[in-house]
Amino acid sequence: MHDRAACIRNRSGGWDKNETEHRSTARSISVAAMARYRVVKYLVSALAFAALLSHVCLAENPCAGGPPVDTNPAECCPTPMIVDGSIMMDCYKMYGEQTKKQLQMEGIPRGCCIAECAMNATSMYVDGMLKRDDLAKMFMDAVKGKPEWMAVVRDATNACFDLADQKKDEIEAGAKLEPSFEGEKICNPISGTVLRCMGMMMFGQCPASVFVQSENCSKLREYGSMCPMI
């Protein structure tokens, strides 16, 4: 019954070595978890702040001019593809130009048709709703064999669905918008809200072992904490 002995004090009144090691490990895990939690809370706050930018003029919007450097985000942090790359490319070809134009528009944020297209292709979107459990499994399956990303993706998934819940009224309003230019398709914002959030949070939480430390990458990460990078 040595396992039981590891959970009780020894006769001298001190803790057994096994218990001491267990507590030390638990404290390390707790510290790491709290660190991730603080980063997630910061990024969720940044994303919530970014939503407010749609209500100010473009001259005051730091996202309007695009990223401050030409560096490709993948050069700074090669984040795993949580949605099949060929699906995303096909959807980008169909709706990329429309999405770029929509990001420059004021007022209620418009739904990202690239994201809705991808969610339709993976059967994760039905009638204005995302299949949360199935989508979370798909995201986690995408990082199997990448232990440095598993906690990041798990935390980001929970935070991004929480963000979507917070923005429920705005999302519903965006789904009811009318086309504002010829050929514009109106998509429900729920898919874009979650996928953009996932991309921003994964880039913002890029593991130290993966992130490239450079001035350009630091600037890009600061920009990416507030603005979508399509």
Side-chain angles (χ1 to χ4, degrees), residues 64-91:
V69 294
D70 293 333
T71 306
N72 188 316
E75 296 176 19
C76 299
C77 179
T79 55
M81 293 293 295
I82 55 174
V83 180
D84 184 88
S86 61
I87 290 176
M88 292 302 297
M89 183 57 67
D90 289 344
C91 292

mmCIF file of all heavy atoms in Angstrom, residues 64-91:
data_model
loop_
_atom_site.group_PDB
_atom_site.id
_atom_site.type_symbol
_atom_site.label_atom_id
_atom_site.label_comp_id
_atom_site.label_asym_id
_atom_site.label_seq_id
_atom_site.Cartn_x
_atom_site.Cartn_y
_atom_site.Cartn_z
ATOM 1 N N ALA A 64 -7.249 49.436 -40.092
ATOM 2 C CA ALA A 64 -7.628 49.851 -41.433
ATOM 3 C C ALA A 64 -6.481 49.780 -42.428
ATOM 4 O O ALA A 64 -6.675 49.439 -43.590
ATOM 5 C CB ALA A 64 -8.194 51.275 -41.395
ATOM 6 N N GLY A 65 -5.275 50.068 -41.976
ATOM 7 C CA GLY A 65 -4.133 50.083 -42.887
ATOM 8 C C GLY A 65 -3.470 48.743 -43.082
ATOM 9 O O GLY A 65 -2.501 48.627 -43.841
ATOM 10 N N GLY A 66 -3.961 47.723 -42.413
ATOM 11 C CA GLY A 66 -3.357 46.403 -42.523
ATOM 12 C C GLY A 66 -2.152 46.265 -41.604
ATOM 13 O O GLY A 66 -1.793 47.187 -40.866
ATOM 14 N N PRO A 67 -1.491 45.110 -41.638
ATOM 15 C CA PRO A 67 -0.331 44.858 -40.765
ATOM 16 C C PRO A 67 0.767 45.891 -40.961
ATOM 17 O O PRO A 67 0.955 46.407 -42.074
ATOM 18 C CB PRO A 67 0.133 43.462 -41.208
ATOM 19 C CG PRO A 67 -1.085 42.823 -41.784
ATOM 20 C CD PRO A 67 -1.832 43.929 -42.461
ATOM 21 N N PRO A 68 1.501 46.234 -39.894
ATOM 22 C CA PRO A 68 2.531 47.269 -39.967
ATOM 23 C C PRO A 68 3.812 46.810 -40.660
ATOM 24 O O PRO A 68 4.684 47.624 -40.952
ATOM 25 C CB PRO A 68 2.804 47.581 -38.489
ATOM 26 C CG PRO A 68 2.518 46.286 -37.788
ATOM 27 C CD PRO A 68 1.354 45.695 -38.525
ATOM 28 N N VAL A 69 3.935 45.519 -40.909
ATOM 29 C CA VAL A 69 5.124 44.978 -41.582
ATOM 30 C C VAL A 69 4.674 44.000 -42.659
ATOM 31 O O VAL A 69 3.555 43.501 -42.640
ATOM 32 C CB VAL A 69 6.064 44.265 -40.582
ATOM 33 C CG1 VAL A 69 6.658 45.261 -39.604
ATOM 34 C CG2 VAL A 69 5.336 43.151 -39.837
ATOM 35 N N ASP A 70 5.580 43.738 -43.618
ATOM 36 C CA ASP A 70 5.252 42.835 -44.717
ATOM 37 C C ASP A 70 5.474 41.362 -44.369
ATOM 38 O O ASP A 70 5.185 40.489 -45.171
ATOM 39 C CB ASP A 70 6.101 43.186 -45.948
ATOM 40 C CG ASP A 70 5.728 44.547 -46.533
ATOM 41 O OD1 ASP A 70 4.571 44.956 -46.360
ATOM 42 O OD2 ASP A 70 6.600 45.190 -47.146
ATOM 43 N N THR A 71 5.983 41.105 -43.195
ATOM 44 C CA THR A 71 6.301 39.736 -42.792
ATOM 45 C C THR A 71 5.056 38.850 -42.772
ATOM 46 O O THR A 71 4.008 39.251 -42.248
ATOM 47 C CB THR A 71 6.949 39.725 -41.393
ATOM 48 O OG1 THR A 71 8.073 40.612 -41.398
ATOM 49 C CG2 THR A 71 7.417 38.334 -41.019
ATOM 50 N N ASN A 72 5.150 37.672 -43.330
ATOM 51 C CA ASN A 72 4.059 36.707 -43.306
ATOM 52 C C ASN A 72 3.959 36.132 -41.893
ATOM 53 O O ASN A 72 4.966 35.708 -41.327
ATOM 54 C CB ASN A 72 4.347 35.584 -44.308
ATOM 55 C CG ASN A 72 3.168 34.641 -44.486
ATOM 56 O OD1 ASN A 72 2.529 34.232 -43.514
ATOM 57 N ND2 ASN A 72 2.876 34.287 -45.718
ATOM 58 N N PRO A 73 2.746 36.100 -41.298
ATOM 59 C CA PRO A 73 2.599 35.538 -39.951
ATOM 60 C C PRO A 73 3.184 34.140 -39.816
ATOM 61 O O PRO A 73 3.724 33.776 -38.760
ATOM 62 C CB PRO A 73 1.080 35.523 -39.747
ATOM 63 C CG PRO A 73 0.579 36.629 -40.620
ATOM 64 C CD PRO A 73 1.477 36.623 -41.822
ATOM 65 N N ALA A 74 3.106 33.340 -40.882
ATOM 66 C CA ALA A 74 3.629 31.971 -40.834
ATOM 67 C C ALA A 74 5.141 31.944 -40.657
ATOM 68 O O ALA A 74 5.693 30.948 -40.185
ATOM 69 C CB ALA A 74 3.241 31.213 -42.101
ATOM 70 N N GLU A 75 5.821 33.043 -41.033
ATOM 71 C CA GLU A 75 7.266 33.118 -40.843
ATOM 72 C C GLU A 75 7.609 33.353 -39.372
ATOM 73 O O GLU A 75 8.719 33.056 -38.933
ATOM 74 C CB GLU A 75 7.855 34.238 -41.699
ATOM 75 C CG GLU A 75 7.702 34.027 -43.203
ATOM 76 C CD GLU A 75 8.208 35.213 -44.004
ATOM 77 O OE1 GLU A 75 8.994 36.017 -43.446
ATOM 78 O OE2 GLU A 75 7.822 35.351 -45.177
ATOM 79 N N CYS A 76 6.658 33.911 -38.633
ATOM 80 C CA CYS A 76 6.875 34.184 -37.205
ATOM 81 C C CYS A 76 6.392 33.034 -36.335
ATOM 82 O O CYS A 76 7.005 32.721 -35.314
ATOM 83 C CB CYS A 76 6.141 35.465 -36.811
ATOM 84 S SG CYS A 76 6.699 36.939 -37.687
ATOM 85 N N CYS A 77 5.275 32.455 -36.741
ATOM 86 C CA CYS A 77 4.706 31.350 -35.966
ATOM 87 C C CYS A 77 3.915 30.447 -36.907
ATOM 88 O O CYS A 77 2.795 30.795 -37.281
ATOM 89 C CB CYS A 77 3.795 31.883 -34.858
ATOM 90 S SG CYS A 77 3.023 30.571 -33.875
ATOM 91 N N PRO A 78 4.488 29.338 -37.322
ATOM 92 C CA PRO A 78 3.766 28.414 -38.200
ATOM 93 C C PRO A 78 2.665 27.684 -37.431
ATOM 94 O O PRO A 78 2.855 26.567 -36.954
ATOM 95 C CB PRO A 78 4.862 27.455 -38.678
ATOM 96 C CG PRO A 78 5.896 27.484 -37.597
ATOM 97 C CD PRO A 78 5.861 28.879 -37.040
ATOM 98 N N THR A 79 1.530 28.353 -37.269
ATOM 99 C CA THR A 79 0.424 27.759 -36.507
ATOM 100 C C THR A 79 -0.171 26.580 -37.275
ATOM 101 O O THR A 79 -0.246 26.605 -38.512
ATOM 102 C CB THR A 79 -0.690 28.796 -36.248
ATOM 103 O OG1 THR A 79 -1.116 29.349 -37.498
ATOM 104 C CG2 THR A 79 -0.200 29.901 -35.352
ATOM 105 N N PRO A 80 -0.594 25.546 -36.572
ATOM 106 C CA PRO A 80 -1.213 24.386 -37.230
ATOM 107 C C PRO A 80 -2.499 24.791 -37.943
ATOM 108 O O PRO A 80 -3.208 25.701 -37.509
ATOM 109 C CB PRO A 80 -1.514 23.436 -36.064
ATOM 110 C CG PRO A 80 -0.660 23.905 -34.937
ATOM 111 C CD PRO A 80 -0.519 25.374 -35.116
ATOM 112 N N MET A 81 -2.798 24.119 -39.046
ATOM 113 C CA MET A 81 -4.052 24.344 -39.761
ATOM 114 C C MET A 81 -5.157 23.590 -39.026
ATOM 115 O O MET A 81 -5.169 22.355 -39.009
ATOM 116 C CB MET A 81 -3.939 23.848 -41.196
ATOM 117 C CG MET A 81 -2.973 24.641 -42.059
ATOM 118 S SD MET A 81 -3.531 26.339 -42.373
ATOM 119 C CE MET A 81 -5.005 26.051 -43.342
ATOM 120 N N ILE A 82 -6.068 24.325 -38.398
ATOM 121 C CA ILE A 82 -7.144 23.669 -37.665
ATOM 122 C C ILE A 82 -8.341 23.366 -38.570
ATOM 123 O O ILE A 82 -9.272 22.682 -38.165
ATOM 124 C CB ILE A 82 -7.591 24.495 -36.445
ATOM 125 C CG1 ILE A 82 -7.987 25.906 -36.857
ATOM 126 C CG2 ILE A 82 -6.477 24.530 -35.395
ATOM 127 C CD1 ILE A 82 -8.573 26.734 -35.726
ATOM 128 N N VAL A 83 -8.314 23.915 -39.792
ATOM 129 C CA VAL A 83 -9.291 23.572 -40.822
ATOM 130 C C VAL A 83 -8.482 23.175 -42.051
ATOM 131 O O VAL A 83 -7.455 23.796 -42.351
ATOM 132 C CB VAL A 83 -10.219 24.755 -41.159
ATOM 133 C CG1 VAL A 83 -11.231 24.353 -42.237
ATOM 134 C CG2 VAL A 83 -10.956 25.245 -39.912
ATOM 135 N N ASP A 84 -8.918 22.142 -42.749
ATOM 136 C CA ASP A 84 -8.183 21.652 -43.910
ATOM 137 C C ASP A 84 -7.752 22.791 -44.831
ATOM 138 O O ASP A 84 -8.569 23.622 -45.245
ATOM 139 C CB ASP A 84 -9.061 20.665 -44.681
ATOM 140 C CG ASP A 84 -8.344 20.035 -45.854
ATOM 141 O OD1 ASP A 84 -7.690 18.992 -45.651
ATOM 142 O OD2 ASP A 84 -8.418 20.590 -46.965
ATOM 143 N N GLY A 85 -6.461 22.822 -45.158
ATOM 144 C CA GLY A 85 -5.909 23.921 -45.944
ATOM 145 C C GLY A 85 -6.510 24.057 -47.322
ATOM 146 O O GLY A 85 -6.714 25.175 -47.816
ATOM 147 N N SER A 86 -6.816 22.953 -47.993
ATOM 148 C CA SER A 86 -7.391 23.022 -49.338
ATOM 149 C C SER A 86 -8.797 23.610 -49.299
ATOM 150 O O SER A 86 -9.205 24.353 -50.211
ATOM 151 C CB SER A 86 -7.416 21.630 -49.975
ATOM 152 O OG SER A 86 -8.213 20.728 -49.222
ATOM 153 N N ILE A 87 -9.531 23.320 -48.221
ATOM 154 C CA ILE A 87 -10.869 23.893 -48.060
ATOM 155 C C ILE A 87 -10.763 25.403 -47.876
ATOM 156 O O ILE A 87 -11.487 26.181 -48.522
ATOM 157 C CB ILE A 87 -11.599 23.254 -46.859
ATOM 158 C CG1 ILE A 87 -11.973 21.803 -47.175
ATOM 159 C CG2 ILE A 87 -12.854 24.054 -46.492
ATOM 160 C CD1 ILE A 87 -12.601 21.064 -46.006
ATOM 161 N N MET A 88 -9.856 25.833 -47.004
ATOM 162 C CA MET A 88 -9.692 27.259 -46.758
ATOM 163 C C MET A 88 -9.259 27.994 -48.029
ATOM 164 O O MET A 88 -9.726 29.100 -48.308
ATOM 165 C CB MET A 88 -8.677 27.495 -45.635
ATOM 166 C CG MET A 88 -9.142 27.029 -44.270
ATOM 167 S SD MET A 88 -10.692 27.803 -43.715
ATOM 168 C CE MET A 88 -10.202 29.531 -43.606
ATOM 169 N N MET A 89 -8.375 27.383 -48.813
ATOM 170 C CA MET A 89 -7.909 28.018 -50.044
ATOM 171 C C MET A 89 -9.054 28.166 -51.043
ATOM 172 O O MET A 89 -9.215 29.221 -51.678
ATOM 173 C CB MET A 89 -6.774 27.206 -50.652
ATOM 174 C CG MET A 89 -6.175 27.841 -51.907
ATOM 175 S SD MET A 89 -5.565 29.540 -51.629
ATOM 176 C CE MET A 89 -4.187 29.201 -50.532
ATOM 177 N N ASP A 90 -9.860 27.115 -51.200
ATOM 178 C CA ASP A 90 -10.995 27.190 -52.121
ATOM 179 C C ASP A 90 -11.972 28.289 -51.700
ATOM 180 O O ASP A 90 -12.474 29.044 -52.543
ATOM 181 C CB ASP A 90 -11.728 25.848 -52.178
ATOM 182 C CG ASP A 90 -10.931 24.773 -52.909
ATOM 183 O OD1 ASP A 90 -9.976 25.129 -53.629
ATOM 184 O OD2 ASP A 90 -11.264 23.576 -52.739
ATOM 185 N N CYS A 91 -12.217 28.374 -50.400
ATOM 186 C CA CYS A 91 -13.154 29.383 -49.894
ATOM 187 C C CYS A 91 -12.572 30.787 -50.029
ATOM 188 O O CYS A 91 -13.292 31.751 -50.326
ATOM 189 C CB CYS A 91 -13.506 29.082 -48.435
ATOM 190 S SG CYS A 91 -14.489 27.561 -48.220
#
